[in-house]
């Protein structure tokens, strides 16, 4: 297992809003840029009706923060376009994050106001990371949260991530990674396989059948080249005829068939019956075609062996962004004392002060509340689980969070975190968060 | 203006589904891989209730097809994981797209079944591009289509793209680019500025105010460092007090104020009255805070100078993917004759055969229909506009579609295309496509 990223990531420093750098310039001017500060990323609420969220992107983000450097190309752009002044450009040329980062482990569940990421650094160092931190966490957590519901609805049958074509090509890699963390068995995305060591799989498309002079010729070519264990797509013309041809050509060792259209429930039953009657009791049935968690649940009684999920997964099944914000919650004053700060908002819950968090659990290990201590660690009653991990110490990564190892560990953590939630977390109907969030002010 | 891309794009070849390469292997085995083929990308329908779509991503895609090569890192991954056999790996090692690509110019409007991209190449060459083609077009067209509605609703007031933090960091760059093509004035995304020469802008965040000991100190720092023409964020504490402080410190030359919360309609009026009463008649008001096309339209009567749009834009305002598919519509048989092909689907409209397209226009130049000729060019009645451009000739790019020049030209084209549509295209209510799509079979 690799710990460092297995690909040549471009510099991440300009994945940044213009105002982060102009604020930096003004804060360098006033001197406040060097005040030690605490920024936190959190979601004020879950997407409408969702019962839990799943943290995605942390490992990818930590890799990217390592690459958050301003090289000649970036500095030249900023100077030529007069985005910031030369003092600021000199400061950026030496930028390397050297603060502390804490947060929820990737794959863990989260709730409204959970402090998912906490950065302790100077204002200057933490301010310029805002856009990038939110881009990664908002995207990947949205996908991980949707994937977790789908995997839950599938009830142990494998889900395969197949949505690359429905989202930006780089989002596709991240979505695939997040899906595997949140319970998917594999992905069609080759770049995700390369970067993160995730298993990639595939079947065939209608174009492959249409390319050949007949469906029989197409099936024969696929079987000869890829072996009988391949999965044949059987709905280009007539499903029953295709299944008979497939079995005739492949024999009892045919790996699988895929259904991509029509009434999947009825078709899966007919195809299962037909396969069994032909002696192919071991041939698997994969269904695809605009599945989401509800469609997956509706197929629970059908003889389906795996689900291929595309559009709904990569668009977060109605919630394409996790709605996280990144807020300054505490900073030094001129005496070096930390002062909690918060915007005075009429319609938003904002809590100044550095947060700590634990998951309250009953004696059976089931979660009962998300407890957030403001400015102090909430006391652990013995069954509880501390939620914050330290990812960076003075700018140095702690091991195990990134690369393929990070993905593997996050998938394990997701399983453990789901096992700890009340069973009602898996209900697909809209509802309240499955456990309440409780704030504890410092006493 | 640069024609070639201004950044070091990584290899794009593994933005690809596993099955594209296993189909390639099987087709190389059968020999059918070398049949000349026509693939087309199109959307069977527009997102629910939308009246037109806007093509986004073409220039970015053409840049990426130039980079669609399999280098040592990609080939080593495919071999080590046995994704395909050695014959296929040898073929991929020499991959360079050498076919023809036609399609709708980026920025143009499109309708159901418009042939947005047409690839003529061997099956092998065109098959492996499927996932990447769709990722780029589906994402960027979704954003461009949403942006166009927002810019239309703004009725000439500038819209600023500010959504980077709500989507994947690379999607953010592409979304920013698509927004500017479809009518936005500028973006906060620095990487988009760097790659495509798009204007970047910014204001300030609440954290900047909270960092300082007082709002007055924060405003003073920003004004001293960035000049009076900057835009101050005035809703951290009390809006009226903030506006008075801003004017007191900046004088009549204060560039702008930003409102990011509350009742924007009422607040904009109050702030405009206050600014005018203080003599700051030239100070602009920018509003942000979860705007979409409906909220923008609702602010038409408010004294607002520009709109900052984030989440809704980058998530396609309810339609985060354009739903395009990529289908084999024609291919050679063993005699070298092209044969139209199509899946036999119960609930999907599929038309085999190579498409041509023109926009039928009346004598006043207003669009009346999208005319798609199957296997032939529909006759032009004199006022019509041919829609297909040739982007690649035998694998060589035709100039003007990529880089900063491509973005600039696409934005011009979008303006012209919108001017040609009936005025009802700008209605935000759900409805049918504003012009019908008519198929003409070969006679």
């Amino acid at each position: 297992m690799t710990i460092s990223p297995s690909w040549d990531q471009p510099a991440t420093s300009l994945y940044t809003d213009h105002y982060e750098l102009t604020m930096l310039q003004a804060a360098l001017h006033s001197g406040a840029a060097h005040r030690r500060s605490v920024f936190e990323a959190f979601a004020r609420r879950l997407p409408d009706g969702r019962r839990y969220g799943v943290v995605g992107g942390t490992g990818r983000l930590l890799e990217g923060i390592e690459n958050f450097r301003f090289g000649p190309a970036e500095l030249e752009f900023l100077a030529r376009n007069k985005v910031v002044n030369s003092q600021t450009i000199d400061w950026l040329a030496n930028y390397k994050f050297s603060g502390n980062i804490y947060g929820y482990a990737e794959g863990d569940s989260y709730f409204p106001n959970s402090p998912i990421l906490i950065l302790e650094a100077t204002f200057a160092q933490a301010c310029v990371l805002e856009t990038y931190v939110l881009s990664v966490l908002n995207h990947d957590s949205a996908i991980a949260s949707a994937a977790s519901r789908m995997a839950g609805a599938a009830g142990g049958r494998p889900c395969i991530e197949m949505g690359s074509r429905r989202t930006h090509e780089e989002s596709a890699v991240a979505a695939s990674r997040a899906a595997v963390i949140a319970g998917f068995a594999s992905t069609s995305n080759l770049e995700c396989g390369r970067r993160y060591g995730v298993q990639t799989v595939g079947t065939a498309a209608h174009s492959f059948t249409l390319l050949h002079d007949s469906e029989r010729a197409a099936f024969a070519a696929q079987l000869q080249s890829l072996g009988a264990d391949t999965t044949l797509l059987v709905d280009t013309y007539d499903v029953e005829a295709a299944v008979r041809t497939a079995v005739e050509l492949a024999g009892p060792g045919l790996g699988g068939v895929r259904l991509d259209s029509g009434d999947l429930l009825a078709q899966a039953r007919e195809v299962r019956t037909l396969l069994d009657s032909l002696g192919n009791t071991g041939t698997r049935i994969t269904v695809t075609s605009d599945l989401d968690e509800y469609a997956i649940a509706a197929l629970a009684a059908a003889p389906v062996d795996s689900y291929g999920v595309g559009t709904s997964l990569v668009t977060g099944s109605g919630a394409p962004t996790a709605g996280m914000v990144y807020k300054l919650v505490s900073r030094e004053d001129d005496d070096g004392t930390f002062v909690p700060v918060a915007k005075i908002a009429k319609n938003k819950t904002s809590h100044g002060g550095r947060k700590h968090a634990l998951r309250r659990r009953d004696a059976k290990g089931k979660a009962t509340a998300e407890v957030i201590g403001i400015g102090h660690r909430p006391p652990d009653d013995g069954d509880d689980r501390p939620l914050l991990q330290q990812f960076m110490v003075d700018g140095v990564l702690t091991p195990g969070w990134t690369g393929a190892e990070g993905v593997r560990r996050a998938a394990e953590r997701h399983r453990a975190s789901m096992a700890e939630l009340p069973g009602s977390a898996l209900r697909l109907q809209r509802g309240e968060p499955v456990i309440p969030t409780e704030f504890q002010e410092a006493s």
Side-chain angles (χ1 to χ4, degrees), chain A:
Chain A
M1 286 291 168
T2 52
I3 290 179
S4 59
S6 60
W7 64 295
D8 292 328
Q9 186 180 36
T12 55
S13 56
L14 292 188
Y15 292 138
T16 297
D17 285 328
H18 186 108
Y19 82 169
E20 314 286 9
L21 302 193
T22 53
M23 285 192 285
L24 168 66
Q25 174 180 317
L28 287 170
H29 175 85
S30 71
H34 307 297
R35 288 182 164 181
R36 299 278 303 174
S37 300
V38 182
F39 279 85
E40 292 176 354
F42 60 95
R44 290 200 174 88
R45 63 195 74 83
L46 300 177
D48 206 20
R50 293 278 182 89
R51 292 161 190 270
Y52 66 98
V54 175
V55 177
T58 317
R60 218 164 65 68
L61 174 64
L62 294 170
E63 295 168 10
I65 290 175
E66 294 253 288
N67 284 324
F68 200 95
R69 308 294 285 270
F70 294 82
E74 292 80 28
L75 296 170
E76 193 272 332
F77 163 77
L78 297 173
R80 179 165 39 84
N81 290 275
K82 300 185 171 56
V83 174
V84 286
N85 63 17
S86 61
Q87 181 200 6
T88 309
I89 287 185
D90 292 345
W91 190 90
L92 292 173
N94 295 309
Y95 184 86
K96 166 88 177 73
F97 184 78
S98 64
N100 298 318
I101 303 182
Y102 306 83
Y104 280 37
E106 189 166 11
D108 210 341
S109 49
Y110 73 87
F111 297 91
N113 293 297
S114 295
I116 288 163
L117 203 75
I118 301 174
L119 280 81
E120 296 175 346
T122 62
F123 176 85
Q125 284 221 340
C127 166
V128 301
L129 290 176
E130 176 179 30
T131 311
Y132 181 56
V133 165
L134 288 176
S135 287
V136 175
L137 294 180
N138 271 325
H139 175 267
D140 290 21
S141 297
I143 308 302
S145 299
S148 178
R149 281 163 59 86
M150 292 169 181
R157 291 174 178 173
C159 292
I160 307 164
E161 191 285 306
M162 295 183 171
S164 296
R165 64 190 57 195
R166 303 295 186 203
T167 188
H168 183 286
E169 65 275 16
E170 268 293 329
S171 306
V173 183
S176 167
R177 178 184 176 284
V180 169
I181 285 171
F184 273 49
S186 55
T187 178
S188 65
N189 189 287
L190 289 171
E191 183 65 11
C192 186
R194 185 172 82 91
R195 286 189 203 165
Y196 300 107
V198 166
Q199 192 195 356
T200 65
V201 298
T203 61
H206 297 112
S207 64
F208 182 79
T209 298
L210 296 171
L211 170 69
H212 288 84
D213 292 333
S214 67
E215 188 173 60
R216 174 177 294 267
F219 285 1
Q222 186 175 336
L223 290 163
Q224 285 165 26
S225 179
L226 300 170
D229 193 39
T230 192
T231 296
L232 297 172
L233 176 60
V234 292
D235 70 344
T236 305
Y237 304 111
D238 177 83
V239 171
E240 183 186 337
V243 171
R244 289 186 184 277
T245 303
V247 171
E248 184 191 329
L249 292 172
L254 175 63
V257 296
R258 175 163 78 102
L259 296 168
D260 183 46
S261 56
D263 177 348
L264 295 175
L265 183 61
Q267 279 202 81
R269 287 181 172 146
E270 288 164 17
V271 168
R272 182 75 268 155
T273 302
L274 179 58
L275 283 169
D276 291 349
S277 76
L278 296 170
N280 278 47
T281 54
T283 299
R284 297 175 298 276
I285 298 176
T286 296
V287 295
T288 56
S289 186
D290 289 336
L291 298 180
D292 61 12
E293 60 268 47
Y294 305 100
I296 290 169
L299 287 164
V304 166
D305 297 285
S306 62
Y307 302 96
V309 188
T311 308
S312 279
L313 176 80
V314 299
T315 58
S317 197
T321 184
M324 288 182 205
V325 294
Y326 180 86
K327 296 294 176 191
L328 177 68
V329 297
S330 181
R331 50 90 182 153
E332 281 180 318
D333 64 16
D334 283 342
D335 303 331
T337 309
F338 273 89
V339 183
V341 295
K343 173 179 185 303
I344 299 171
K346 286 168 188 160
N347 53 356
K348 295 174 181 172
T349 314
S350 288
H351 298 266
R354 206 275 204 197
K355 312 301 181 304
H356 299 264
L358 60 76
R359 188 142 307 157
R360 180 133 299 151
R361 300 191 293 194
D362 63 20
K364 293 176 180 170
K366 282 290 170 188
T368 60
E370 190 83 338
V371 183
I372 299 172
I374 301 179
H376 75 292
R377 286 175 206 278
D380 183 332
D381 71 6
D383 298 308
D384 301 341
R385 179 164 70 90
L387 292 165
L388 295 181
Q389 313 292 327
Q390 186 159 9
F391 301 128
M392 272 200 179
V393 182
D394 297 337
V396 178
L397 268 178
T398 57
W401 305 109
T402 61
E405 183 189 11
V407 171
R408 184 177 54 72
R409 289 182 55 195
E412 285 170 13
R413 192 171 305 106
H414 178 258
R415 281 190 288 275
S417 186
M418 292 305 297
E420 172 192 86
L421 293 182
S424 54
L426 289 180
R427 283 192 204 145
L428 295 180
Q429 309 97 299
R430 294 150 75 94
E432 296 298 310
V434 73
I435 56 173
T437 300
E438 296 172 4
F439 282 97
Q440 284 191 356
E441 305 280 344
S443 54

